[in-house]
mmCIF file of all heavy atoms in Angstrom:
data_model
loop_
_atom_site.group_PDB
_atom_site.id
_atom_site.type_symbol
_atom_site.label_atom_id
_atom_site.label_comp_id
_atom_site.label_asym_id
_atom_site.label_seq_id
_atom_site.Cartn_x
_atom_site.Cartn_y
_atom_site.Cartn_z
ATOM 1 N N THR A 229 26.414 22.952 37.454
ATOM 2 C CA THR A 229 25.317 23.312 38.350
ATOM 3 C C THR A 229 24.437 22.100 38.631
ATOM 4 O O THR A 229 23.617 22.122 39.541
ATOM 5 C CB THR A 229 24.455 24.429 37.737
ATOM 6 O OG1 THR A 229 24.019 23.995 36.455
ATOM 7 C CG2 THR A 229 25.229 25.723 37.590
ATOM 8 N N GLY A 230 24.589 21.046 37.847
ATOM 9 C CA GLY A 230 23.751 19.862 38.035
ATOM 10 C C GLY A 230 24.425 18.608 37.518
ATOM 11 O O GLY A 230 25.311 18.046 38.149
ATOM 12 N N GLU A 231 24.039 18.227 36.290
ATOM 13 C CA GLU A 231 24.451 16.922 35.745
ATOM 14 C C GLU A 231 25.957 16.665 35.796
ATOM 15 O O GLU A 231 26.399 15.540 36.026
ATOM 16 C CB GLU A 231 23.953 16.824 34.290
ATOM 17 C CG GLU A 231 24.207 15.477 33.666
ATOM 18 C CD GLU A 231 23.846 15.434 32.169
ATOM 19 O OE1 GLU A 231 23.402 16.457 31.611
ATOM 20 O OE2 GLU A 231 24.030 14.356 31.575
ATOM 21 N N ARG A 232 26.769 17.695 35.581
ATOM 22 C CA ARG A 232 28.229 17.470 35.546
ATOM 23 C C ARG A 232 28.766 16.926 36.875
ATOM 24 O O ARG A 232 29.822 16.299 36.905
ATOM 25 C CB ARG A 232 28.956 18.766 35.151
ATOM 26 C CG ARG A 232 30.441 18.531 34.936
ATOM 27 C CD ARG A 232 31.151 19.694 34.281
ATOM 28 N NE ARG A 232 32.563 19.393 34.129
ATOM 29 C CZ ARG A 232 33.428 20.118 33.466
ATOM 30 N NH1 ARG A 232 33.025 21.233 32.866
ATOM 31 N NH2 ARG A 232 34.699 19.777 33.382
ATOM 32 N N LYS A 233 28.005 17.168 37.949
ATOM 33 C CA LYS A 233 28.434 16.635 39.254
ATOM 34 C C LYS A 233 28.570 15.121 39.213
ATOM 35 O O LYS A 233 29.285 14.530 40.009
ATOM 36 C CB LYS A 233 27.436 17.031 40.352
ATOM 37 C CG LYS A 233 27.441 18.502 40.648
ATOM 38 C CD LYS A 233 26.474 18.848 41.754
ATOM 39 C CE LYS A 233 26.450 20.365 41.931
ATOM 40 N NZ LYS A 233 25.357 20.833 42.724
ATOM 41 N N LEU A 234 27.836 14.473 38.286
ATOM 42 C CA LEU A 234 27.936 13.011 38.161
ATOM 43 C C LEU A 234 29.376 12.570 37.884
ATOM 44 O O LEU A 234 29.800 11.492 38.296
ATOM 45 C CB LEU A 234 27.033 12.504 37.028
ATOM 46 C CG LEU A 234 25.524 12.564 37.280
ATOM 47 C CD1 LEU A 234 24.762 12.269 35.994
ATOM 48 C CD2 LEU A 234 25.122 11.565 38.366
ATOM 49 N N LEU A 235 30.129 13.441 37.161
ATOM 50 C CA LEU A 235 31.520 13.081 36.813
ATOM 51 C C LEU A 235 32.408 13.013 38.047
ATOM 52 O O LEU A 235 33.557 12.591 37.970
ATOM 53 C CB LEU A 235 32.097 14.090 35.807
ATOM 54 C CG LEU A 235 31.366 14.228 34.470
ATOM 55 C CD1 LEU A 235 32.019 15.309 33.613
ATOM 56 C CD2 LEU A 235 31.359 12.914 33.711
ATOM 57 N N ASN A 236 31.872 13.444 39.181
ATOM 58 C CA ASN A 236 32.647 13.372 40.432
ATOM 59 C C ASN A 236 32.463 12.038 41.145
ATOM 60 O O ASN A 236 32.865 11.902 42.309
ATOM 61 C CB ASN A 236 32.243 14.519 41.371
ATOM 62 C CG ASN A 236 32.566 15.872 40.770
ATOM 63 O OD1 ASN A 236 33.552 16.004 40.049
ATOM 64 N ND2 ASN A 236 31.747 16.872 41.036
ATOM 65 N N LEU A 237 31.870 11.054 40.465
ATOM 66 C CA LEU A 237 31.712 9.729 41.091
ATOM 67 C C LEU A 237 33.068 9.254 41.663
ATOM 68 O O LEU A 237 34.077 9.236 40.947
ATOM 69 C CB LEU A 237 31.210 8.727 40.034
ATOM 70 C CG LEU A 237 31.163 7.261 40.471
ATOM 71 C CD1 LEU A 237 30.173 7.045 41.613
ATOM 72 C CD2 LEU A 237 30.784 6.359 39.294
ATOM 73 N N GLY A 238 33.064 8.916 42.929
ATOM 74 C CA GLY A 238 34.293 8.430 43.580
ATOM 75 C C GLY A 238 35.237 9.523 44.035
ATOM 76 O O GLY A 238 36.227 9.266 44.711
ATOM 77 N N HIS A 239 34.954 10.782 43.653
ATOM 78 C CA HIS A 239 35.912 11.858 43.914
ATOM 79 C C HIS A 239 35.788 12.480 45.302
ATOM 80 O O HIS A 239 36.750 13.040 45.806
ATOM 81 C CB HIS A 239 35.788 12.957 42.853
ATOM 82 C CG HIS A 239 36.430 12.578 41.547
ATOM 83 N ND1 HIS A 239 36.016 11.486 40.815
ATOM 84 C CD2 HIS A 239 37.459 13.131 40.846
ATOM 85 C CE1 HIS A 239 36.761 11.397 39.712
ATOM 86 N NE2 HIS A 239 37.638 12.380 39.711
ATOM 87 N N THR A 240 34.583 12.439 45.902
ATOM 88 C CA THR A 240 34.442 13.048 47.230
ATOM 89 C C THR A 240 35.342 12.312 48.222
ATOM 90 O O THR A 240 36.163 12.923 48.919
ATOM 91 C CB THR A 240 32.962 12.996 47.689
ATOM 92 O OG1 THR A 240 32.195 13.701 46.705
ATOM 93 C CG2 THR A 240 32.772 13.647 49.044
ATOM 94 N N ILE A 241 35.226 10.986 48.224
ATOM 95 C CA ILE A 241 36.112 10.194 49.082
ATOM 96 C C ILE A 241 37.528 10.191 48.499
ATOM 97 O O ILE A 241 38.515 10.290 49.234
ATOM 98 C CB ILE A 241 35.581 8.746 49.235
ATOM 99 C CG1 ILE A 241 34.218 8.770 49.941
ATOM 100 C CG2 ILE A 241 36.559 7.867 50.003
ATOM 101 C CD1 ILE A 241 33.561 7.398 50.096
ATOM 102 N N GLY A 242 37.626 10.122 47.178
ATOM 103 C CA GLY A 242 38.943 10.064 46.521
ATOM 104 C C GLY A 242 39.821 11.256 46.864
ATOM 105 O O GLY A 242 40.994 11.099 47.215
ATOM 106 N N HIS A 243 39.265 12.461 46.769
ATOM 107 C CA HIS A 243 40.067 13.651 47.101
ATOM 108 C C HIS A 243 40.505 13.631 48.564
ATOM 109 O O HIS A 243 41.616 14.048 48.901
ATOM 110 C CB HIS A 243 39.277 14.931 46.814
ATOM 111 C CG HIS A 243 39.228 15.286 45.357
ATOM 112 N ND1 HIS A 243 38.470 16.326 44.855
ATOM 113 C CD2 HIS A 243 39.831 14.736 44.288
ATOM 114 C CE1 HIS A 243 38.624 16.391 43.539
ATOM 115 N NE2 HIS A 243 39.443 15.436 43.171
ATOM 116 N N ALA A 244 39.621 13.145 49.436
ATOM 117 C CA ALA A 244 39.974 13.060 50.865
ATOM 118 C C ALA A 244 41.140 12.084 51.059
ATOM 119 O O ALA A 244 42.071 12.347 51.823
ATOM 120 C CB ALA A 244 38.756 12.622 51.684
ATOM 121 N N ILE A 245 41.104 10.967 50.331
ATOM 122 C CA ILE A 245 42.186 9.968 50.436
ATOM 123 C C ILE A 245 43.508 10.575 49.958
ATOM 124 O O ILE A 245 44.551 10.438 50.605
ATOM 125 C CB ILE A 245 41.843 8.693 49.618
ATOM 126 C CG1 ILE A 245 40.660 7.963 50.257
ATOM 127 C CG2 ILE A 245 43.047 7.770 49.495
ATOM 128 C CD1 ILE A 245 40.095 6.803 49.420
ATOM 129 N N GLU A 246 43.457 11.270 48.829
ATOM 130 C CA GLU A 246 44.689 11.892 48.307
ATOM 131 C C GLU A 246 45.288 12.847 49.331
ATOM 132 O O GLU A 246 46.482 12.829 49.604
ATOM 133 C CB GLU A 246 44.370 12.700 47.041
ATOM 134 C CG GLU A 246 44.201 11.891 45.788
ATOM 135 C CD GLU A 246 43.998 12.819 44.603
ATOM 136 O OE1 GLU A 246 44.990 13.296 44.021
ATOM 137 O OE2 GLU A 246 42.838 13.090 44.271
ATOM 138 N N LYS A 247 44.425 13.687 49.875
ATOM 139 C CA LYS A 247 44.898 14.711 50.818
ATOM 140 C C LYS A 247 45.434 14.039 52.096
ATOM 141 O O LYS A 247 46.508 14.399 52.598
ATOM 142 C CB LYS A 247 43.718 15.646 51.120
ATOM 143 C CG LYS A 247 43.984 16.726 52.126
ATOM 144 C CD LYS A 247 44.683 17.934 51.500
ATOM 145 C CE LYS A 247 44.939 19.020 52.532
ATOM 146 N NZ LYS A 247 46.291 19.498 52.569
#
Side-chain angles (χ1 to χ4, degrees):
T229 55
E231 185 186 0
R232 187 168 179 172
K233 292 181 184 166
L234 289 170
L235 300 177
N236 297 327
L237 172 64
H239 283 61
T240 301
I241 297 177
H243 282 174
I245 293 171
E246 282 184 85
K247 177 82 180 129

